[in-house]
Amino acid sequence: MRLKVKLCDMVTIKNLVLAAERLPCDVDLQSGSFVIDAKSILGVLGLPENDTGILQVHSDDPNICTPFLEELEHLGILCPEGPMIQKTTFLACALGEILIDFTLQGRNEQGQRVFAQNAGGAPANVVAAMAKLGARTAFVGKAGNDMHGRFLKETLEQCGIDSTGLTLSDDYFTTLAFVDVKPDGEREFSFARNHGADKMLEKSDVPLELIRSSGILHIGSISLTDEPARSTTLFAVQKAKEAGCVISYDPNYRASLWKSEELAKKQMRSMIPYADLMKISEEETQLLTDESDYKTAAEILMQNGVKIVVVTLGKMGAYVQTKQGGTLVKGFRNKAVDATGAGDAFWGGFLFQFSRCGKAPEAVTAEEAAEFADFGNAVASVCVQKHGAIPAMPDMAQVMEQLKKERL
């Protein structure tokens, strides 16, 4: 849990240290480039003069965090501004589809194509990438109470993702996606989704306290294709906005899931006014902005209120736009085996780094955003060298090793 706290006077500082001393876990206080033990009054008093600091409580246990937050609020120590540094149990919560990717693995002795069962769904992939890197994350969605749905729930839990927001329905089956991987690593999708559970997500399925206790709410556009999931997604985003969450949006266009391209444009664009952080692929720029040039498209999205825009450019890397301007961040050299989940791996890495910076989206500099994208490129580069999406997400050691390698 990370919090922005006041350090404006001696009484406030003493109250903060006394509150921290009572916690059964470590508590760090960052002020500028200095990080000290928040339980040490001498350490806190020795910091350079600063009106605020970032408190890092090394626990996500609600029994520890909730009373501590209530005490700091009562004492008037918490800073009210800034949506990122707040009373969060989870760095990010994703809402949307979770499904089975049956990914082509080759052919058996009889020449039949063999598909492997992998957990997938873009929003779930993103928080899985973050979780593999060490972030506390959660997921909200719906799957069938069948062999596939139970497998998905187990997968979330094995990744360390909070699965209390995943509803297993007796009325609908788990959505399936068959993924044919081409020689160059690109994919062709075939969905079994009529009456699929993911698009039947109801407002009553959304645990609002879970969303309110998350720093970031991440959504895609697959949940906008049909009702009731469409209205539920808007409901969740509005509630998250009210709670001060950062909204992350990745449209992730799949033509076969929409009744028409015009409907896709309308619904996908409907979320832009809510988005603080937004990732699109180069192929999606026309759909989202009517512009094919990715730099122009990014500028249009910024004009519509998005604080940070990232356009992924495949092997070439990503273009990052902030209010300070745009930067092209080159990708890594690698031999792609399966591009499934590559964009989600990238965005999970980007969001992981953003969540650690302690800044509101609009305060992130162009240089910082480029660093987040470089880290995301490294996460994606490792991911595409394995099969599947969630199973291929790398840990921090693998990413750090990738960061040492050559860019294009």
Side-chain angles (χ1 to χ4, degrees), residues 62 64-76 78 87:
I64 294 173
C65 296
T66 301
F68 182 64
L69 284 166
E70 291 174 350
E71 182 177 6
L72 295 192
E73 286 182 324
H74 176 72
L75 293 169
L78 288 181
K87 47 185 180 183

Side-chain angles (χ1 to χ4, degrees), residues 49 57 60 110 135 187 219 226 228 247 280 308 363:
E49 285 191 19
V57 179
D60 288 319
Q110 288 76 40
R187 305 146 297 152
I219 61 164
D226 296 273
I247 305 300
I280 61 174
I308 302 175

Side-chain angles (χ1 to χ4, degrees), residues 329-348:
V329 182
K330 294 183 178 180
F332 290 81
R333 296 183 185 278
N334 61 61
K335 294 182 179 180
V337 173
D338 180 4
T340 304
D344 304 324
F346 167 84
W347 197 232

Side-chain angles (χ1 to χ4, degrees), residues 144-172:
N145 188 15
D146 49 35
M147 62 180 289
H148 298 307
R150 291 188 290 273
F151 167 74
L152 291 172
K153 186 175 180 68
E154 290 171 5
T155 300
L156 291 178
E157 292 168 353
Q158 288 169 2
C159 289
I161 301 168
D162 188 287
S163 66
T164 56
L166 175 63
T167 301
L168 296 184
S169 171
D170 292 323
D171 299 320
Y172 307 101

